[in-house]
Amino acid sequence: MHWDDTSEQAAFRDEVRTFIAERFPAGYRPDPAAEHSLEPEDVWGYNWPVDRFSPDPDRRDGARRWAAVLAERGWITPHWPKEFGGAGLSSFEEFVLHEEMMRARVPTVNGIGAFLLGPTLLEHGTAEQKAEHLPPIARGERTWAQGFSEPGSGSDLASLRTTAVRDGDHYVVNGQKVWTSLGQYADWLFVLVRTAPEAPKHRGITFLLVDTATPGVTIRPIEDIRGATPFAEVFFSDARIPVRNRVGDENRGWYIAMTALSFERAGIGATVKFEQALKRLVEHVRANGLGPDKAAVRHEIARRYTEMRVLYNLARHTVSEQAKGGVPGYEASVNQLFGAELAQRIARTGTAVFGQDARRWDRTGQPLAAAFTHLKFDAVAATFLGGTTEIQRNVIATRGLGLPRS
């Protein structure tokens, strides 16, 4: 398939590059000691949802100024209609914008709110919900986190047990969510709750919008294998959530959630991150040698480059389907599965180059700042973040290939 830019896309790509060069805040620099949040569009050294509350005034000011200049163009939510703060860009223009931001190593803004919740509200939200929630996301003023997974209800999400009981104009919510990415930095959550305990498990779920300042909502960070805290657990204790914050009909939340998950990004962020990591690795081995097993390492690096280009083409295929008006279905699972397993293979390839040095965690004074050692730890979670490998294969088999469920 031929993926060269059209003349219009090439002109837009140049516009984006110029914009980044001229408008990215000069004082907003990477933090070399920071661990990113494991999301595919993270840029090493930046974590925008965290940076906007940083005690470092330069980092805090830079994060907020960057959101403001992106919002001027509608580029926080580029594919949204202009009436809600978007730019009305085509799917390919949005793809180019994020590709160039990743290549320039500048952070994207407001990921979960902009790319999961926003499109879901555009399709299923009331006029009041759109007016209340979409403009603050588009301005970079309100961040969101996803409250789906629970202890014992991760891959089998429909088995969730957090309950919501109707009490007049409110739902009273009790239960727990876990592995909530950057939940401790979120202003709002979108959560799945069980409103009909006796119904079949997919049919008794409701989709709610929750202000994290609501009494009865407690958020606690979770430390991961690296010592970082990219996740949180959320506890609900008689939290009263207004009925007006329900998206769609009661007991139909599972179908709303499936819409939200279909809006996962095409995967360009992971592709560019892998490309840059491999480029740095090749530069290092050219300068320092490949070690005793040169042929094997050279072969492995070549395979990783080939796989990285496959991932790029998968991303372009997904965005081409969006451009034709389709909603990504099993294609998102193909991207997720291939990208997750590739992250682990790239980490193994990189650490093989460094031998015993790959055991060193401290970035200071280490080759490539111990980047592949840290990537190896990051990649441990890759094959279950956003849905386990087994779930992704089942989706591909049943929805993509039409195979029977049993």
Side-chain angles (χ1 to χ4, degrees):
M1 197 168 287
H2 190 61
W3 294 126
D4 287 347
D5 288 343
T6 65
S7 58
E8 293 81 6
Q9 291 164 359
F12 181 68
R13 192 180 295 277
D14 288 340
E15 179 186 347
V16 173
R17 290 172 177 170
T18 300
F19 173 84
I20 293 171
E22 293 178 350
R23 301 298 303 278
F24 188 72
Y28 190 17
R29 311 311 306 161
D31 178 359
E35 297 290 353
H36 61 65
S37 69
L38 301 180
E39 299 298 329
E41 279 73 20
D42 288 330
V43 178
W44 179 72
Y46 293 104
N47 196 331
W48 182 82
V50 181
D51 291 344
R52 70 190 187 117
F53 295 119
S54 173
D56 179 344
D58 289 336
R59 178 164 295 278
R60 183 175 64 249
D61 179 65
R64 297 184 181 191
R65 285 171 54 207
W66 181 228
V69 298
L70 286 171
E72 289 175 11
R73 294 284 191 101
W75 282 1
I76 290 177
T77 52
H79 198 40
W80 289 14
K82 292 182 179 180
E83 65 180 295
F84 295 115
L89 298 185
S90 69
S91 297
F92 271 113
E93 287 172 325
E94 181 182 39
F95 184 92
V96 168
L97 172 62
H98 290 134
E99 181 178 2
E100 291 304 317
M101 290 177 70
M102 291 296 298
R103 293 195 185 285
R105 300 191 181 190
V106 299
T108 55
V109 170
N110 233 338
I112 290 177
F115 294 95
L116 291 185
L117 178 68
T120 303
L121 288 183
L122 286 169
E123 186 161 335
H124 297 288
T126 64
E128 292 77 14
Q129 289 169 344
K130 294 174 187 177
E132 178 182 0
H133 296 295
L134 296 183
I137 295 172
R139 293 192 298 265
E141 297 171 356
R142 182 178 296 171
T143 59
W144 289 76
Q146 173 184 293
F148 284 8
S149 295
E150 298 183 4
S153 298
S155 297
D156 183 15
L157 179 59
S159 67
L160 64 89
R161 292 172 291 180
T162 295
T163 61
V165 177
R166 181 77 178 260
D167 180 20
D169 292 334
H170 290 78
Y171 288 103
V172 179
V173 180
N174 286 279
Q176 179 186 357
K177 300 294 180 178
V178 74
W179 311 123
T180 305
S181 296
L182 297 178
Q184 66 270 44
Y185 300 101
D187 303 303
W188 283 71
L189 309 167
F190 54 100
V191 303
L192 294 180
V193 295
R194 187 161 300 284
T195 43
E198 304 305 319
K201 64 181 183 178
H202 291 87
R203 298 180 185 175
I205 293 171
T206 298
F207 193 109
L208 295 179
L209 310 179
V210 177
D211 186 339
T212 57
T214 303
V217 176
T218 303
I219 302 177
R220 299 175 185 166
I222 299 174
E223 186 173 292
D224 69 9
I225 192 173
R226 307 164 302 167
T229 53
F231 313 113
E233 52 187 346
V234 183
F235 298 89
F236 300 92
S237 179
D238 291 333
R240 295 181 65 84
I241 309 304
V243 172
R244 68 175 182 275
N245 287 3
R246 184 187 68 217
V247 179
D249 295 333
E250 186 171 287
N251 300 327
R252 298 288 293 175
W254 179 260
Y255 309 99
I256 308 295
M258 293 305 99
T259 297
L261 295 177
S262 74
F263 288 113
E264 293 276 8
R265 293 189 184 183
I268 187 58
T271 301
V272 176
K273 284 173 66 174
F274 296 160
E275 179 185 87
Q276 291 173 340
L278 286 170
K279 181 180 178 181
R280 294 178 69 204
L281 182 64
V282 169
E283 290 171 348
H284 174 82
V285 298
R286 282 176 174 167
N288 298 280
L290 284 164
D293 198 357
K294 295 181 180 179
V297 172
R298 184 181 293 111
H299 178 69
E300 285 300 300
I301 291 175
R303 290 186 66 181
R304 301 297 86 81
Y305 259 107
T306 301
E307 291 163 343
M308 181 268 296
R309 295 307 302 173
V310 170
L311 185 64
Y312 181 83
N313 280 278
L314 288 172
R316 291 295 298 241
H317 171 72
T318 298
V319 79
S320 70
E321 292 300 305
Q322 292 174 324
K324 292 187 291 188
V327 174
Y330 75 93
E331 295 93 344
S333 291
V334 173
N335 289 2
Q336 165 72 13
L337 175 63
F338 191 82
E341 294 186 344
L342 178 55
Q344 295 181 343
R345 290 194 293 272
I346 288 176
R348 288 195 295 269
T349 297
T351 52
V353 168
F354 295 105
Q356 291 299 312
D357 283 340
R359 298 176 181 269
R360 302 179 185 272
W361 181 256
D362 187 0
R363 294 184 184 273
T364 306
Q366 299 306 314
L368 299 186
F372 282 90
T373 302
H374 285 249
L375 178 60
K376 188 172 183 178
F377 278 77
D378 295 345
V380 168
T383 50
F384 55 85
L385 283 173
T388 66
T389 295
E390 292 79 7
I391 293 295
Q392 305 300 345
R393 285 193 165 92
N394 284 341
V395 170
I396 294 166
T398 57
R399 300 182 192 173
L401 301 177
L403 298 178
R405 293 185 177 274
S406 60

